[in-house]
Amino acid sequence: MTAGTQNSVAGAGRTIISVDAMGGDKGPATVVAGISHSAKKNPDLGFILHGPRAELEPLVAKRRNLAGRCEIRDAAEIVKMEDKPAHVLRHGRDTSMWSALESVRNGEARVCVSCGNTGALMLLSVVRLRKLKGIYRPAIGVLWPSKNPQGFNIMLDGGADIRADAKDLMQYALMGTSYARNGFGLTRPRVGLLNVGTEEHKGRAELKEAFDLIAANAKHSDFEFVGFVEGRDLPGTRCDVIVTDGFTGNVALKTAEGIATLFSDLLREAFQYSFLSRFASVLAYPSLRRLKKRIDPRRANGGVFLGLNGTVVKSHGAADATGVSAAVKLAFELAQSGFTEKLAARVASATMLDQDGETDNSDNGDSE
Amino acid sequence: MTAGTQNSVAGAGRTIISVDAMGGDKGPATVVAGISHSAKKNPDLGFILHGPRAELEPLVAKRRNLAGRCEIRDAAEIVKMEDKPAHVLRHGRDTSMWSALESVRNGEARVCVSCGNTGALMLLSVVRLRKLKGIYRPAIGVLWPSKNPQGFNIMLDGGADIRADAKDLMQYALMGTSYARNGFGLTRPRVGLLNVGTEEHKGRAELKEAFDLIAANAKHSDFEFVGFVEGRDLPGTRCDVIVTDGFTGNVALKTAEGIATLFSDLLREAFQYSFLSRFASVLAYPSLRRLKKRIDPRRANGGVFLGLNGTVVKSHGAADATGVSAAVKLAFELAQSGFTEKLAARVASATMLDQDGETDNSDNGDSE
């Protein structure tokens, strides 16, 4: 639409991030504060910001460091949290979410960031950006705090699709491996398949089938398959990548959020108990802040949609400016690493393996 | 076998708990320490302890407060954690687990407590104690710490069965309601159905069907149905009882354990950081101990098998003496409340409702 402006935000070697200003619970002011924070930290960033121009212009004008680095792309409508994905697909052409994805589709931006309705964002992403060749079901890769050297584990699917059959789970293993390599520089990621126990006879039939398929691909691809893992391994050190369906992944993720909230509430109450405990809390403050920084979900904010022609970072709906900034940082790093291209190559090689019948055997065997 | 001894442990008005001494990871000494702790606190408790007599006798003899209150029932074999449930059912007649359930079956004890293999304990319980009339699928009710007035929420199924269809989930709601009434004295428990979102159009088909069935029963039974809830509500305050299938429930439970372990590790590290932080940790110790006491899983140790003719409390495999003692306390309270009888009455009334077609409509409607 306004190619002239876009050229200016691109600047010399800037990486352009397409940002949906309207998706978050906290409104566009928080999104603008977040990208302003990112712009301050990283001179190589430029933005295309999507939403109602009249609302966005004064917000951007207030942030001097965004001058010349943030183009506003007018989009009158907003995808609401309660909108059904199929409705957004049919009637959402004028929404900020649609417009934000369009900038990735037409090559103006490398990555799209949105805090909006996950289901709608996923469906629009799949339809507008299309699935990578050979991918059955795209997934959301999310990060868990852990004591592994990289500080995080990757879980997928975090909630893109409530279903996943054995072949999907095998591809999630490949996608997670690619993400771990490009996001954390792990040369040989350890992959686990989430189940109710580590014994091979436990769990649903499709999990036993997925176990065989993932094991067959580990030999040819470059990851270590540690087998079945349990819920406690999501924030644990047994593996770097945990594979599960989107229903289970979403419940696990929100359970962890709930536990974290409960602990932080109870810790606050415990330190309010008496004069001595309030005094202790002052002294303990730096230690507690170190802990908080280590596990702060805002620092790991940003589920990444895996398996599409283009990278989409889904920020938490309730993300504050720090959260938005973390999502932009992740988007920048993935754009820089050429992540999508590397993932495409990996899936292509696994698909070939699949086509020559080596893994397909597991599909037609007794386990069905 | 030794009815004379049994008469003596029963004493005047004692409630007899049947305890599998051999199930836990920490061995029988820990179990004996746990029941000794319970015996000290509660003079109305008596025990029948199952396991190899030669091993148990010296352990019990060392605990003076168990004299005359703990009969040993010789059982030579042990169910191991890796044993398949079906194998235990066929070949497990001489195990301590089998023997412990037998004491409930023949009426010598009101409740059975075991730290052993959950799958084997569940299968043996179902086969030996039989399902309550009208129950399709028994479930494990587990406790989550929460800021609700009662201090805990009840989730079921915690992992008895990886499957659950809409009718099972409806019965879980009834069983959870009964447990909440008898365990926590809640007159009108709030029940939620676990899903990936609170919107009615989200989630799997069987969940939408279960939603209608539970809603239909809430009108006639005495609970409030709050609708779909999310993982974060498991330790939250939106409801008192959360209903889900055993696969999802088990993953959520172990995820929470993993997060709790990670937090406690990181908190310890944060307080080891410097001289000042180590000093602060000394002052903060009472506050942290208060927090720990509030969320200590050992205090809420004991999943309860719901839907059987008799009460079985499954203690955590890694339970220490405090954990075993907490499981015994729960067993005692449920035995005292006549929980099984009340649950049977509730299920019977719901089944009648089902038979006269009022809830069955939802089953045959468009939602399939």
Side-chain angles (χ1 to χ4, degrees):
Chain A
M1 302 171 190
T2 46
T5 324
Q6 198 260 322
N7 283 341
S8 73
V9 304
R14 276 198 199 127
T15 296
I16 304 299
I17 311 289
S18 174
V19 178
D20 175 6
M22 306 311 291
D25 299 346
K26 297 201 159 75
T30 298
V31 174
V32 172
I35 66 172
S36 164
H37 185 74
S38 296
K40 244 177 251 170
K41 283 196 168 178
N42 186 344
D44 295 335
L45 275 170
F47 300 95
I48 308 178
L49 191 65
H50 305 259
R53 183 182 299 279
E55 200 170 340
L56 297 185
E57 250 169 9
L59 293 171
V60 171
K62 272 197 289 189
R63 307 279 172 173
R64 296 220 180 129
N65 66 330
L66 289 178
R69 291 172 65 185
C70 179
E71 184 203 334
I72 295 165
R73 200 63 64 85
D74 191 40
E77 292 180 16
I78 299 164
V79 176
K80 290 187 289 294
M81 283 296 175
E82 65 273 19
D83 286 345
K84 293 196 185 185
H87 178 88
V88 177
L89 182 62
R90 280 194 304 274
H91 307 289
R93 286 184 173 268
D94 295 330
T95 61
S96 58
M97 185 185 281
W98 187 295
S99 179
L101 287 169
E102 217 52 27
S103 288
V104 173
R105 182 177 145 102
N106 65 23
E108 291 175 302
R110 297 285 300 267
V111 184
C112 169
V113 172
S114 173
C115 312
N117 181 324
T118 306
L121 184 62
M122 190 76 205
L123 182 61
L124 284 193
S125 299
V126 170
V127 172
R128 300 301 294 166
L129 303 182
R130 298 184 319 282
K131 290 186 279 185
L132 271 183
K133 193 169 176 298
I135 287 285
Y136 308 114
R137 214 184 282 275
I140 303 179
V142 296
L143 301 181
W144 286 72
S146 84
K147 293 183 78 182
N148 275 325
Q150 67 270 24
F152 294 106
N153 295 341
I154 296 167
M155 178 189 79
L156 65 169
D157 174 21
D161 198 316
I162 54 172
R163 287 147 308 195
D165 66 15
K167 279 196 176 180
D168 299 324
L169 294 169
M170 181 273 280
Q171 288 199 334
Y172 293 176
L174 297 179
M175 294 195 273
T177 298
S178 249
Y179 187 11
R181 253 195 216 99
N182 295 287
F184 302 119
L186 298 174
T187 47
R188 197 174 142 78
R190 295 163 301 159
V191 175
L193 180 60
L194 190 62
N195 199 351
V196 293
T198 54
E199 303 87 352
E200 286 191 29
H201 66 273
K202 282 194 173 174
R204 299 166 170 159
E206 77 261 28
L207 286 180
K208 289 167 202 166
E209 204 188 323
F211 185 103
D212 295 337
L213 268 174
I214 295 172
N217 267 283
K219 293 174 205 155
H220 302 265
S221 299
D222 211 15
F223 64 87
E224 180 191 344
F225 182 44
V226 304
F228 287 135
V229 298
E230 299 179 276
R232 65 174 70 95
D233 298 313
L234 286 165
T237 54
R238 277 194 69 207
C239 52
D240 309 297
V241 174
I242 299 102
V243 169
T244 189
D245 67 274
F247 184 93
T248 310
N250 183 281
V251 168
L253 202 58
K254 288 178 177 166
T255 299
E257 276 179 32
I259 289 287
T261 304
L262 179 71
F263 282 10
S264 114
D265 287 356
L266 292 177
L267 193 61
R268 198 174 307 116
E269 281 174 23
F271 275 119
Q272 290 295 323
Y273 186 75
S274 66
F275 175 76
L276 181 65
S277 66
R278 282 193 295 275
F279 176 62
S281 79
V282 175
L283 285 181
Y285 180 73
S287 298
L288 295 175
R289 200 180 44 186
R290 264 192 300 280
L291 168 67
K292 196 173 175 184
K293 201 172 171 189
R294 188 74 196 276
I295 57 170
D296 189 351
R298 297 178 309 170
R299 286 181 64 235
N301 190 33
V304 177
F305 289 2
L306 299 163
L308 302 173
N309 290 298
T311 303
V312 178
V313 175
K314 165 67 178 76
S315 179
H316 197 292
D320 60 10
T322 308
V324 171
S325 178
V328 167
K329 182 166 184 266
L330 179 62
F332 176 78
E333 282 165 6
L334 291 173
Q336 292 290 91
S337 74
F339 167 67
T340 304
E341 297 75 12
K342 288 179 185 167
L343 175 55
R346 188 152 297 274
V347 170
S349 90
T351 305
M352 273 193 291
L353 182 75
D354 197 307
Q355 280 165 346
D356 67 21
E358 284 197 79
T359 60
D360 250 16
N361 291 340
S362 331
D363 244 339
N364 306 320
D366 293 334
S367 60
E368 281 200 331
Chain B
M1 303 172 192
T2 47
T5 325
Q6 198 260 318
N7 283 340
S8 73
V9 306
R14 276 197 199 128
T15 296
I16 304 300
I17 312 288
S18 174
V19 177
D20 175 7
M22 307 311 292
D25 300 345
K26 295 200 160 75
T30 297
V31 175
V32 173
I35 66 172
S36 164
H37 184 74
S38 296
K40 244 177 253 171
K41 284 197 167 177
N42 185 344
D44 296 333
L45 275 170
F47 301 95
I48 308 178
L49 192 65
H50 304 258
R53 185 183 297 278
E55 201 170 339
L56 298 185
E57 251 168 8
L59 294 171
V60 172
K62 274 198 288 191
R63 307 279 172 174
R64 296 219 179 129
N65 67 329
L66 289 178
R69 292 173 65 186
C70 177
E71 183 204 335
I72 294 164
R73 201 62 63 85
D74 191 41
E77 292 181 14
I78 299 164
V79 175
K80 291 188 289 293
M81 283 296 175
E82 64 273 20
D83 286 345
K84 292 194 187 185
H87 178 88
V88 177
L89 182 62
R90 280 194 304 273
H91 307 289
R93 287 183 173 268
D94 296 329
T95 61
S96 58
M97 185 185 282
W98 188 294
S99 180
L101 288 168
E102 216 53 26
S103 290
V104 174
R105 183 177 144 101
N106 65 24
E108 291 175 302
R110 296 286 300 268
V111 185
C112 168
V113 172
S114 173
C115 312
N117 181 323
T118 306
L121 184 62
M122 189 78 205
L123 183 61
L124 284 194
S125 300
V126 171
V127 172
R128 301 300 294 165
L129 304 181
R130 298 184 320 282
K131 290 187 278 185
L132 271 182
K133 194 169 176 298
I135 287 284
Y136 309 114
R137 215 184 280 277
I140 304 179
V142 297
L143 301 181
W144 286 73
S146 85
K147 292 184 78 181
N148 275 325
Q150 67 271 23
F152 295 106
N153 296 340
I154 296 168
M155 178 191 79
L156 65 171
D157 176 19
D161 198 316
I162 54 172
R163 287 148 308 195
D165 66 16
K167 280 196 176 180
D168 298 324
L169 293 169
M170 181 273 280
Q171 289 199 334
Y172 293 176
L174 298 179
M175 296 196 272
T177 297
S178 251
Y179 186 12
R181 252 194 216 99
N182 294 288
F184 302 120
L186 298 174
T187 49
R188 197 174 142 79
R190 296 164 300 159
V191 175
L193 180 60
L194 190 62
N195 199 351
V196 293
T198 55
E199 302 87 353
E200 287 192 29
H201 66 274
K202 281 195 173 175
R204 298 166 171 160
E206 77 262 30
L207 286 180
K208 290 167 202 165
E209 204 188 322
F211 185 104
D212 295 337
L213 268 174
I214 295 173
N217 267 283
K219 293 174 204 155
H220 303 266
S221 299
D222 210 15
F223 65 88
E224 181 191 343
F225 182 45
V226 304
F228 286 135
V229 298
E230 300 180 276
R232 65 173 70 93
D233 298 312
L234 286 164
T237 54
R238 277 194 68 207
C239 52
D240 310 296
V241 174
I242 299 101
V243 169
T244 188
D245 67 275
F247 185 93
T248 309
N250 182 282
V251 168
L253 202 58
K254 288 178 177 167
T255 299
E257 277 179 33
I259 290 287
T261 304
L262 179 71
F263 282 11
S264 114
D265 287 356
L266 292 177
L267 193 61
R268 198 174 307 118
E269 281 174 24
F271 275 119
Q272 291 296 325
Y273 185 74
S274 65
F275 174 77
L276 181 66
S277 65
R278 281 193 295 275
F279 176 62
S281 79
V282 175
L283 286 181
Y285 179 73
S287 298
L288 295 175
R289 201 179 44 187
R290 264 192 300 280
L291 169 66
K292 198 173 176 186
K293 200 171 171 193
R294 186 75 196 275
I295 56 169
D296 189 351
R298 298 177 308 169
R299 286 180 66 235
N301 189 34
V304 177
F305 288 4
L306 299 163
L308 302 173
N309 290 297
T311 303
V312 178
V313 175
K314 165 66 176 75
S315 178
H316 197 292
D320 59 10
T322 308
V324 171
S325 178
V328 167
K329 182 165 184 268
L330 179 61
F332 176 79
E333 282 165 5
L334 291 172
Q336 291 292 91
S337 74
F339 167 67
T340 304
E341 296 74 12
K342 289 180 184 166
L343 176 54
R346 188 153 295 275
V347 170
S349 90
T351 305
M352 272 191 291
L353 182 75
D354 198 308
Q355 279 164 347
D356 67 21
E358 284 198 77
T359 60
D360 251 18
N361 291 341
S362 331
D363 244 339
N364 307 320
D366 293 334
S367 60
E368 282 200 330

